[in-house]
Amino acid sequence: DTGVSQDPRHKITKRGQNVTFRCDPISEHNRLYWYRQTLGQGPEFLTYFQNEAQLEKSRLLSDRFSAERPKGSFSTLEIQRTEQGDSAMYLCASSPKQGEETQYFGPGTRLLVL
Amino acid sequence: AQSVTQLDSHVSVSEGTPVLLRCNYSSSYSPSLFWYVQHPNKGLQLLLKYTSAATLVKGINGFEAEFKKSETSFHLTKPSAHMSDAAEYFCVVSESMNRDDKIIFGKGTRLHILP
């Protein structure tokens, strides 16, 4: 399968703990996006990368959130000092290049903060 | 500023009858428009997209959508619903400006198929 993959698929953690999610985009896709989806809502944009450069961060991304894409391939999203409000599905998507708007989504990581 | 409104949070149709999922958008530029489908416990899948070519766009699984600039609409239709169509559908608008491909999702419409 050469689609976007995410790991883990599910994560349960206690409030205050740190968590890290990984996303592997489709090979040679330059752009990588992170979204958050809560129940009953559409995905909300968090941040995106063009290769290794993080080009935009949403206001939804508080200081407790950080994302990296060090080699322009896979990306990690870390949440520090998790809060119950962080419980959501975290989606990753990739697209081939700037101007190619079609984004290909991974299955998501479902986070539950107790 | 761009936005997208899905007019119905839930739609129920009987199997074999037509499907209509409504979407209106606003955009400062010539937008690209998409419909994605999300089945339970599965990733978002692209159904179809409009990118300023033909206004009637055909997608997978018999779905199609028509871009109507005068009505700022991009409704999704299918002539005959199948049980496997039951899922959440998202209308998406994207403006590609300079280096920023901003993408905005609607809140989704859950499609229920009645036997």
Side-chain angles (χ1 to χ4, degrees), chain A residues 49-108:
Chain A
F49 293 84
Q50 170 80 25
N51 298 313
E52 66 276 7
Q54 188 173 16
L55 296 186
E56 186 172 351
K57 294 172 63 173
S58 162
R59 285 171 293 179
L60 293 174
L61 216 64
S62 76
D63 292 343
R64 297 184 297 104
F65 287 70
S66 62
E68 294 182 343
R69 195 183 183 197
K71 298 182 180 179
S73 56
F74 73 91
S75 175
T76 57
L77 177 68
E78 181 182 17
I79 309 174
Q80 296 181 322
R81 304 181 303 281
T82 52
E83 302 173 355
Q84 288 183 325
D86 297 332
S87 296
M89 176 76 85
Y90 289 85
L91 297 168
C92 177
S94 69
S95 66
K97 60 184 178 181
Q98 176 187 344
E100 171 52 62
E101 299 96 339
T102 303
Q103 296 182 16
Y104 301 84
F105 284 82

Side-chain angles (χ1 to χ4, degrees), chain B residues 3 25 31 39 63 81 83 85 89-90 96 103-104 107 114-115:
Chain B
S3 66
Y25 70 93
H39 287 91
F63 284 94
M83 293 300 291
D85 295 328
Y89 292 79
F90 294 97
S96 184
I103 178 170
I104 304 294
K107 292 190 175 183
L114 308 173

Side-chain angles (χ1 to χ4, degrees), chain B:
Chain B
Q2 57 181 342
S3 66
V4 59
T5 302
Q6 291 184 244
L7 297 163
D8 306 293
S9 58
H10 293 266
V11 169
S12 295
V13 301
S14 297
E15 189 175 20
T17 64
V19 175
L20 170 64
L21 305 183
R22 298 182 294 167
C23 172
N24 286 96
Y25 70 93
S26 67
S27 175
S28 304
Y29 300 86
S30 296
S32 294
L33 294 159
F34 307 77
W35 278 97
Y36 282 85
V37 61
Q38 188 174 39
H39 287 91
N41 300 316
K42 292 190 176 180
L44 285 155
Q45 180 183 19
L46 179 68
L47 273 179
L48 51 80
K49 66 177 180 180
Y50 165 79
T51 54
S52 73
T55 56
L56 182 63
V57 182
K58 293 187 183 298
I60 62 171
N61 301 335
F63 284 94
E64 62 182 38
E66 186 172 8
F67 174 72
K68 292 186 177 181
K69 186 174 181 178
S70 61
E71 300 177 9
T72 60
S73 69
F74 190 59
H75 301 333
L76 182 70
T77 60
K78 182 173 180 178
S80 177
H82 190 272
M83 293 300 291
S84 62
D85 295 328
E88 187 92 19
Y89 292 79
F90 294 97
C91 183
V92 179
V93 62
S94 173
E95 293 178 348
S96 184
M97 302 179 295
N98 299 322
R99 67 178 189 179
D100 295 330
D101 291 333
K102 295 184 181 296
I103 178 170
I104 304 294
F105 279 77
K107 292 190 175 183
T109 298
R110 183 164 295 278
L111 177 63
H112 305 270
I113 309 298
L114 308 173

